[in-house]
Structures are given as C-alpha cells and as structure tokens.
C-alpha cells in the first residue's frame, strides 16, 4: 500500500527527543518529503513494524502520528503547488 | 514492493541516522530508506567505508558497482542468509553429472530461443520482413534436443544469436550500422546498449538469486568459472529477449535514445550519463510491470518472474518437478 505519514510532536520538555527519534525511525521506511511528512510504498507487515518502533517514542497523551493509506500510488493524485521536487525518485 | 536505488552522483555513501545517505560533492543528499531497499546500483564515483558496507550487509542489501563506462565491475554481496547445504550438494551433483547438466542447459537455451522467436514474431506481425530469420532460428531450435554436449549446445546458441542480431537492422527504425556483436569495448551504439542492458539484467538476477538458497557460482550452461557468478549468466539468458532486447527496441524506435546520447570514438562507444539515466528509468519501470501469472493465478512483476525461475530450478535440483525455462505466454 502507499501511505502518507504525518506527525505532530508537542515541543515541551522531552519533545525534542521524541521528535528526533520519530524522525529517524520514519526515515528507515519512508521518504522524507517535508518537515514532518513522509510518504512511500510499504507492506502491511512493515507498517506494523514501523508502528511498534514508533510506539516506544511517542507520548500517547501529547504526540500524534497520522497515517493516510491508499491502495497504490496511482490511486493518489499528487499536485505540486509552487516548487516541484521529486524526492521520492529512486535516482540520484 | 521493495525498491532499487540508482545512484549517479559522485560523492559519499555513508551510514547516517540508521539509513544510508548519499551526499553529492555539492552538498545535496538523499537518504535511502533501508527497510524498503532491495539493492543499490552505483554509477558515479562514490566513496564508502566499511561502516556503510557493514550496515548494508546487516540489512542484506547487495550493492552493484558499475565503472565509468557503465560496465559491471562487481557487487558487494552480503553474507548468505538463506543457505542450504542440501541444495548446494544437489547443485554441484547436477553440474558434475554430464547428462543432468546438459538437461538443464538445454532447458535454458530452449526457453531463451523461444523468447527470441516471440520477439521476432511480434515485429513481423508489425510489417517487418523477418521470415528468413525466423525460419533459420526455428531450424536451429530443432537441433537443440539432439545435442550431446555443452560445447555443441553453446555453438547452436551462438548461431541463433547471430541470426537474431542480423535481423536487428530490420527491427530498429533508426539508421544503425549494426553488423555484429562486439564486446570489450563495444564499437557502436547497439553494441554499447546490449552490453549495458545485459550487465543490468545480470546484476538484477544476482539480487534475485541472493534471495533464494541457490549458490550463484554453480551454473549449468556456462562453465562454472572462477571469479564470477555464472548462474546469473544462465538465468539472464532467458530474460534478455524479454526484458533487455525489448527495452532496446522500444527506446530506439520511440527515439528515446539517439546518436546524440552516445560518446563514440574510433574504437569504442559508450552511453552518456543522461541517456543512461533515461534507460535505467525505463528499465526500472519494466521490472515493476506486472502480468497475470497463469499457474500462480496472481499478478507478478517481471522482477519476480526472475525469482520464480530460481525457485523452479531449485525444485528441479531437489527432484521435485522437472525444470522448464520461462517462455512468454502472452
């Protein structure tokens, strides 16, 4: 499936630590496209693995992680308003 | 699902934040999402250290390295995870037994030549005059079951390829002077393309073999030589017509690659960086393309077909089911 993951970490004491860890963990599975936004193709089992990893770092009462799921990339219309960039490309 | 990454930039590949990061010399960087990566292709001049290799090894990501001219130099092949002594013994047994080896080798050639014929049929249905070539190859194919040793078989394979390559000037719309296959170094546009695409298929086969229990150095059609993973050569034989040749035809016939994308001098010819990138993009798309598998009754990608081929070979080696090479059925 193709997902977009967005997170919001409360910036109080311990926020910086949580945000750093969430960022680094997401980076292993998905492409970082904007400040706290990731996107990419993933399997249900790997998504579960990502979730288990994230659960250790997010504080249930303050932080939130949102996942938008789509069956496949082609069912997701993506538009760039302003600068266009292809961070999800496999070529560099 | 898992992705391949193609890195053209010069720079540094390193472990950073538990992902692999490539930093170009001008400071731009790209993080490679390691959990979703199956292999990495390096085309630029990249510095990497053992820390990075250790990490890639830990995650079982093979790294394929190509030199400045785009020819395959080698792979970083992580420690085998899927090992099976039983299978290895069978693999070697089938190699040392002349008849068993010939049986498998024949299956490879039969499938490869069938796929070649299908390519020719496709273009002859589109108005190219390829009848003579097709009859010649059909004739040669009849001899395959009667061959008695590997060298004879290889000879027939050579004849089939020669006839096939002779017909290329009729298939390709662009003006090309493709006389014969020349390697090391390739001397014209088509030879350069064939060399490059074949080495890509070769690397992809290696990635797929890595995922199975097969040992990549024990092969059947090609002699199990030293210093190379010859099983990849065997398996890629079947997929060259389907993936490689079709890719070349369509890139040239749609004018996606022209004379301008090549750098040639008196005795060699190479693809320039931009052309290489365009070709790789198409190659990557092709590998991801899916077809409905008749037996498995589900959609499989071209890349997965290569792995299925490995599984079929394993079944044969374990005397489970006789191996038959993959043939195009659509």
């Amino acid at each position: 499936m193709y997902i977009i993951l967005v997170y919001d970490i409360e910036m109080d004491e311990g926020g910086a630590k949580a945000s750093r860890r969430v960022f680094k963990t997401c980076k292993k599975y998905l492409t970082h496209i904007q400040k706290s936004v990731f996107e990419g193709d993933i399997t249900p089992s790997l998504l579960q693995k990502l979730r288990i990893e994230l659960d250790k770092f997010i504080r249930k009462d303050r932080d939130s992680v949102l996942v938008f799921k789509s069956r496949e990339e082609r069912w997701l219309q993506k538009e760039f308003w302003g600068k266009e960039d292809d961070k999800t490309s496999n070529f560099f | 699902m898992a992705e391949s990454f193609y890195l053209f930039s010069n720079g540094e590949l390193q472990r950073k934040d538990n992902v692999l990061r490539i930093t170009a010399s001008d400071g731009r960087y790209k993080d490679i999402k390691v959990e979703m990566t199956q292999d990495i292709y390096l085309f630029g001049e990249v510095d990497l250290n053992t820390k990075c290799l250790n990490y890639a090894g830990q995650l079982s990501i093979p790294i394929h390295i190509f030199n400045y001219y785009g020819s395959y130099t080698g792979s970083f092949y992580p420690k085998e995870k899927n090992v099976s002594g039983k299978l290895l013994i069978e693999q070697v047994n089938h190699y040392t037994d002349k008849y068993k080896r010939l049986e498998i080798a024949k299956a490879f050639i039969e499938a490869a030549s069938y796929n070649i014929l299908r390519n020719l049929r496709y273009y002859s249905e589109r108005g190219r005059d390829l009848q003579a070539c097709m009859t010649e190859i059909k004739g040669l194919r009849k001899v395959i079951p009667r061959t008695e040793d590997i060298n004879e078989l290889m000879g027939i394979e050579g004849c089939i390829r020669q006839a096939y390559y002779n017909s290329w000037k009729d298939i390709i719309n662009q003006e090309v002077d493709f006389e014969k296959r020349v390697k090391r170094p390739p001397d014209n546009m088509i030879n350069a393309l064939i060399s490059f695409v074949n080495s890509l298929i070769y690397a992809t086969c290696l990635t797929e073999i890595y995922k199975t229990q097969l040992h990549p150095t024990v092969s059947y059609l090609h002699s199990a030589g030293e210093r190379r993973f010859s099983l990849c050569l065997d398996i890629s034989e079947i997929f060259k017509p389907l993936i490689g040749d079709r890719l070349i035809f369509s890139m040239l016939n749609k004018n996606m690659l022209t004379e301008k994308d090549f750098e040639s001098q008196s005795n060699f010819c190479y693809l320039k960086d931009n052309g290489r990138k365009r070709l790789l993009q198409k190659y990557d798309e092709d590998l991801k393309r899916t077809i409905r598998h008749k037996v498995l009754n589900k959609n499989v990608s071209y890349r997965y077909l290569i792995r299925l081929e490995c599984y079929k070979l394993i079944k044969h080696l374990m005397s489970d089911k006789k191996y038959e090479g993959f043939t195009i059925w659509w």
Side-chain angles (χ1 to χ4, degrees), chain A residues 2 30-33 38-41 73 78 80 85-91, chain B residues 3 5 30 33 288:
Chain A
Y2 201 80
L30 301 162
T31 312
H32 183 220
I33 45 167
F38 287 83
E39 88 170 61
D41 213 2
E73 191 177 1
K78 192 158 104 179
F80 288 96
D85 71 47
D86 57 342
K87 286 201 171 112
T88 48
S89 153
N90 288 353
F91 293 77
Chain B
E3 291 170 25
F5 282 87
K30 182 175 184 70
K33 36 182 181 177
K288 280 189 195 146

Side-chain angles (χ1 to χ4, degrees), chain B residues 217-231:
Chain B
T217 55
V218 184
S219 57
Y220 300 98
L221 176 60
H222 298 81
S223 57
E226 283 161 34
R227 298 182 297 271
R228 57 178 191 172
F229 294 134
S230 38
L231 187 59

Side-chain angles (χ1 to χ4, degrees), chain B residues 284-300:
Chain B
D284 196 53
E285 277 168 28
D286 278 358
L287 283 182
K288 280 189 195 146
R289 216 166 52 199
T290 56
I291 47 151
R292 190 85 188 161
H293 196 285
K294 275 196 308 197
V295 183
L296 299 178
N297 203 21
K298 63 173 185 177
N299 290 330
V300 295

Side-chain angles (χ1 to χ4, degrees), chain B residues 192-246:
Chain B
L193 274 176
I194 300 176
S195 292
F196 184 58
V197 173
N198 282 355
S199 64
L200 285 176
I201 297 179
Y202 179 69
T204 309
C205 285
L206 184 59
T207 304
E208 294 307 314
I209 290 175
Y210 179 69
K211 292 173 188 162
T212 70
Q213 284 88 344
L214 286 171
H215 203 281
T217 55
V218 184
S219 57
Y220 300 98
L221 176 60
H222 298 81
S223 57
E226 283 161 34
R227 298 182 297 271
R228 57 178 191 172
F229 294 134
S230 38
L231 187 59
C232 306
L233 300 177
D234 283 8
I235 292 182
S236 63
E237 207 66 50
I238 298 174
F239 291 95
K240 275 180 204 165
L242 170 66
I243 301 172
D245 301 344
R246 285 188 175 192

Side-chain angles (χ1 to χ4, degrees), chain A residues 1 23-32 39-43 46 49 53 86-92, chain B residues 1 3-9 17-19 21-22 28-31 33-36 277 280-281 284 288:
Chain A
M1 67 180 121
F23 178 72
K24 284 185 184 177
T25 310
C26 291
K27 219 158 64 159
K28 288 200 285 183
Y29 297 84
L30 301 162
T31 312
H32 183 220
E39 88 170 61
D41 213 2
I42 201 165
T43 60
L46 278 169
K49 203 174 146 203
E53 274 191 62
D86 57 342
K87 286 201 171 112
T88 48
S89 153
N90 288 353
F91 293 77
F92 183 75
Chain B
M1 185 60 62
E3 291 170 25
S4 305
F5 282 87
Y6 305 89
L7 308 179
F8 291 89
S9 312
D17 294 350
N18 275 341
V19 296
R21 168 177 289 185
I22 172 129
R28 292 175 309 126
Y29 66 84
K30 182 175 184 70
D31 288 326
K33 36 182 181 177
V34 290
E35 296 279 351
M36 302 302 299
K277 252 182 224 174
L280 267 171
Q281 223 130 23
D284 196 53
K288 280 189 195 146

Side-chain angles (χ1 to χ4, degrees), chain B residues 112-123 130 132-134 136-137 140 156-172 178-181 190 194 198 237-249 328:
Chain B
S113 57
Y114 180 82
N115 291 341
I116 284 176
L117 267 181
R118 286 300 295 257
N119 270 358
L120 290 172
R121 203 180 81 186
Y122 177 91
Y123 280 99
L130 301 167
C133 173
M134 282 169 75
E136 191 182 344
I137 293 180
L140 285 164
I156 289 167
E157 193 243 341
C159 293
I160 292 176
R161 288 238 157 235
Q162 204 178 6
Y164 180 45
Y165 286 141
N166 273 335
S167 69
W168 278 34
K169 53 185 182 307
D170 298 319
I171 294 175
I172 295 161
F178 179 55
E179 287 301 322
K180 61 177 194 301
R181 178 86 178 99
I190 306 283
I194 300 176
N198 282 355
E237 207 66 50
I238 298 174
F239 291 95
K240 275 180 204 165
L242 170 66
I243 301 172
D245 301 344
R246 285 188 175 192
L247 176 68
I248 296 174
F249 297 152
I328 304 172

